[in-house]
Amino acid sequence: MGSDSVLVTGGAGFIGHYLTSALLSQGRRVVVLDDFSSGLPLPSHPLLTVISGDIADSSVREKALNQVTSVINLAAIASVPLCENKPKLSSRINYFAAQDLFTEASKLGVSAIIQASTSALYGVPNQLPLIEESSIQPIGNYGLDKQRAEDSLLSIRNTPVCSLRLFNVFGVGQKRDSPYSGVLTIFSDGIRNEKPLRIFGDGTQSRDFVHVKDVVSAFIGCLEELEKNGLNSIISGNKFNVCSGKSMTLLEIVEAFSQFSNNEIDIVFESPREGDILHSLGSFDSLNKAIGWTPSQNFTANLQELLL
Ligand code: NAD
Ligand code: UD1
């Protein structure tokens, strides 16, 4: 395969679909490694190879790595409750398999490795907005295993690497059938189907919602930067927040949705979720300074799209 080929693990997932399609539209070859445990089939494309298998299986990783020159690792148990219920599975996929992938890719001399990390690393924030130097105190297995994976990637010195800490990602295409989908997906689904929205707590909790297309532009921007400047790149060995830099409360979200919907929106207030963080807000200054990345400013239009 040519020198422009990228491995996207977890490429059949929510973010993976957008990232794979964007890379293909740039004319790049893409190898997707996915076990389809939560991912969905990808449309066929002459530049796309799909390997169906478990990232924890060394022979599957070998097959995938032998075909590529760069790696983006999205494969994960992305459900926080599943990681809590199955701690061994969480560690096997989110930490050990990721670590093995990074080590093997580095040994093969790839041009870039990028990890999908998470704002869950920060736990309960002790300052807002969160910056990359804010204290790391993950709550639960998901955050802990993601932290270990990030640490292991950033300890690699002989390969251009970076880790992107994604905040609350939203957009069309996120799975609607899970009670643990993102709140914007659950709310838009409820509004479309005229079901009451359940707010856990009083609705004053806030989140930094970043659109999936902005997340994709961050991955591609970092990939191109690492491939171009290698170990001399300003981003090599670093971690970056990928966020909108703005936060909205759930009550503000419901208000914004109500402007686009003819349906009456019913709200049911329930007890707060155990372990719920009250406020989350990130700063994207570091990534902006490094590669000029900025999130799009059309939150309202992106929200409206969820209702179509
Ligand atoms: P997703 O569940 O839609 O995608 C994950 C993909 O990984 C799925 O296609 C799944 O089938 C695949 N996968 C799971 N286990 C696998 C295994 N053992 N072998 C091979 N493939 C496997 O989740 P997403 O929202 O697209 O998230 C992508 C990445 O971004 C994940 O690493 C997640 O932790 C991270 N992230 C997401 C968010 C968010 O808000 N969506 C926030 C922070 C970080
Ligand atoms: C999100 C991520 C999680 C990550 C965490 C920290 C998702 C799905 N989860 O969790 O992986 O660890 O950020 O980075 O993106 N809510 C309701 N009603 C609902 C659903 C949710 O009130 O029907 C509330 C929740 O209690 C929470 C807020 O909405 O207060 C956001 O919830 P959610 O979208 O699940 O995201 P996080 O909990 O922030």
Side-chain angles (χ1 to χ4, degrees):
M1 203 165 266
S3 63
D4 58 350
S5 48
V6 188
L7 170 62
V8 181
T9 74
F14 165 51
I15 299 170
H17 267 257
Y18 282 88
L19 179 59
T20 300
S21 144
L23 289 165
L24 290 170
S25 68
Q26 291 186 324
R28 297 198 63 153
R29 292 179 185 279
V30 181
V31 175
V32 163
L33 187 178
D34 202 297
D35 71 350
F36 295 90
S37 52
S38 70
L40 297 170
L42 291 145
S44 63
H45 188 287
L47 295 174
L48 174 66
T49 303
V50 177
I51 297 173
S52 179
D54 184 350
I55 193 179
D57 179 336
S58 60
S59 63
V60 171
R61 290 194 305 270
E62 188 181 354
K63 186 177 170 194
L65 285 170
N66 280 335
Q67 303 184 43
V68 299
T69 51
S70 292
V71 176
I72 297 178
N73 185 39
L74 303 182
I77 308 299
S79 159
V80 175
L82 187 56
C83 291
E84 283 311 301
N85 292 338
K86 300 201 167 181
K88 282 189 183 149
L89 179 68
S90 169
S91 297
R92 194 166 75 88
I93 308 304
N94 293 355
Y95 174 36
F96 292 114
Q99 183 177 45
D100 288 342
L101 178 81
F102 303 152
T103 310
E104 291 155 7
S106 174
K107 274 193 189 140
L108 286 168
V110 296
S111 313
I113 311 174
I114 306 179
Q115 161 73 345
S117 191
T118 168
S119 61
L121 255 64
Y122 295 114
V124 179
N126 56 10
Q127 69 175 111
L128 290 174
L130 288 155
I131 57 171
E132 289 76 0
E133 292 70 34
S134 297
S135 64
I136 299 297
Q137 40 198 359
I139 306 167
N141 301 322
Y142 173 74
L144 192 61
D145 286 321
K146 282 283 185 176
Q147 181 202 353
R148 289 174 173 151
E150 181 181 280
D151 284 350
S152 118
L153 179 67
L154 299 182
S155 71
I156 294 175
R157 294 275 170 258
N158 58 352
T159 302
V161 301
C162 78
S163 180
L164 299 184
R165 295 177 177 168
L166 316 181
F167 279 62
N168 289 61
V169 187
F170 78 103
V172 173
Q174 193 172 44
K175 274 204 161 176
R176 292 180 176 268
D177 51 2
S178 161
Y180 296 104
S181 296
V183 67
L184 299 188
T185 296
I186 293 177
F187 279 9
S188 59
D189 203 37
I191 293 167
R192 284 164 11 136
N193 294 303
E194 298 186 48
K195 287 185 297 197
L197 309 185
R198 298 160 71 202
I199 290 189
F200 305 127
D202 63 5
T204 59
Q205 67 262 52
S206 59
R207 293 293 185 273
D208 182 326
F209 296 102
V210 60
H211 193 256
V212 61
K213 287 185 181 165
D214 291 327
V215 171
V216 166
S217 77
F219 273 108
I220 291 182
C222 288
L223 181 68
E224 290 174 351
E225 165 61 29
L226 289 177
E227 288 174 338
K228 186 169 166 225
N229 293 314
L231 291 171
N232 293 326
S233 167
I234 189 168
I235 68 168
S236 184
N238 280 312
K239 63 261 177 185
F240 297 97
N241 289 342
V242 177
C243 54
S244 72
K246 291 177 185 153
S247 65
M248 281 188 82
T249 67
L250 293 194
L251 295 176
E252 286 168 342
I253 292 289
V254 174
E255 173 61 28
F257 270 133
S258 71
Q259 290 169 18
F260 312 125
S261 172
N262 298 323
N263 300 343
E264 186 78 12
I265 301 179
D266 287 333
I267 300 175
V268 180
F269 288 93
E270 298 186 12
S271 314
R273 259 187 193 166
E274 202 182 325
D276 220 1
I277 290 164
L278 204 48
H279 300 296
S280 175
L281 169 66
S283 160
F284 60 86
D285 273 6
S286 297
L287 193 56
N288 177 259
K289 284 192 182 110
I291 62 165
W293 178 85
T294 48
S296 51
Q297 298 300 322
N298 40 2
F299 181 76
T300 315
N302 290 333
L303 207 58
Q304 189 172 14
E305 204 190 21
L306 294 181
L307 291 180
L308 299 176

